[in-house]
Amino acid sequence: MALDEARLAHSTGDVPCGAVVVHEGMVIARAHNQREALGDPTAHAELLAVRLAAEKLGTWRLSGCTVYITKEPCVMCAGAMMNARVTRVVYGAPDPKYGAAWSVFNILQDGRLNHRSEVSSGVMAGECLELLREFFETRRPD
């Protein structure tokens, strides 16, 4: 489902990143990057999905939720998930330039913070990376 969301972002000219929030085994939110469509630098897939999940649950605390993402979250998105008390984050492709779940920073498991999320990485990484490569090759041909 997150890959389907990423494909939607790609089709609208945005970086192909998708996110799905699951609570008690049920999908409660899904979203894709919409920075270009909304003209909003904070319209990342994870932030949009977390907002929708909080609205659905009627609380800002997303304890018991897992967020599935096609690309490693950035600092902003990792921070939002920490503030929302997301229990688990699962992502596909690493982000060696902006990743905040392991590649550059490790916000989601930083012992200095009062909450830590379980993190799983590399899930369907090949498919996620291929979609990202395809997107950036069309914008940066060399």
Side-chain angles (χ1 to χ4, degrees), residues 35-56:
R35 293 182 311 167
E36 298 298 332
L38 299 177
D40 180 352
T42 69
H44 288 203
E46 305 94 300
L47 274 182
L48 297 171
V50 163
R51 287 179 188 148
L52 289 170
E55 184 177 317
K56 174 95 178 202

Side-chain angles (χ1 to χ4, degrees), residues 14-110:
D14 217 322
V15 175
C17 184
V20 174
V21 181
V22 174
H23 181 257
E24 296 179 353
M26 296 188 60
V27 174
I28 61 168
R30 54 190 293 173
H32 56 277
N33 274 2
Q34 294 188 56
R35 293 182 311 167
E36 298 298 332
L38 299 177
D40 180 352
T42 69
H44 288 203
E46 305 94 300
L47 274 182
L48 297 171
V50 163
R51 287 179 188 148
L52 289 170
E55 184 177 317
K56 174 95 178 202
L57 294 176
T59 180
W60 62 268
R61 287 184 177 91
L62 299 184
S63 299
C65 289
T66 299
V67 180
Y68 295 89
I69 317 160
T70 55
K71 184 178 73 60
E72 182 177 4
C74 70
V75 171
M76 175 180 66
C77 293
M81 289 185 284
M82 291 299 295
N83 281 312
R85 310 299 194 265
V86 167
T87 300
R88 184 171 178 229
V89 175
V90 178
Y91 68 89
D95 187 342
K97 291 184 180 179
Y98 295 101
W102 182 253
S103 295
V104 180
F105 303 102
N106 194 5
I107 291 172
L108 295 171
Q109 295 183 320
D110 191 320

Side-chain angles (χ1 to χ4, degrees), residues 101-123:
W102 182 253
S103 295
V104 180
F105 303 102
N106 194 5
I107 291 172
L108 295 171
Q109 295 183 320
D110 191 320
R112 295 171 293 181
L113 302 174
N114 67 336
H115 175 78
R116 280 169 282 301
S117 296
E118 179 185 336
V119 177
S120 299
S121 62
V123 176

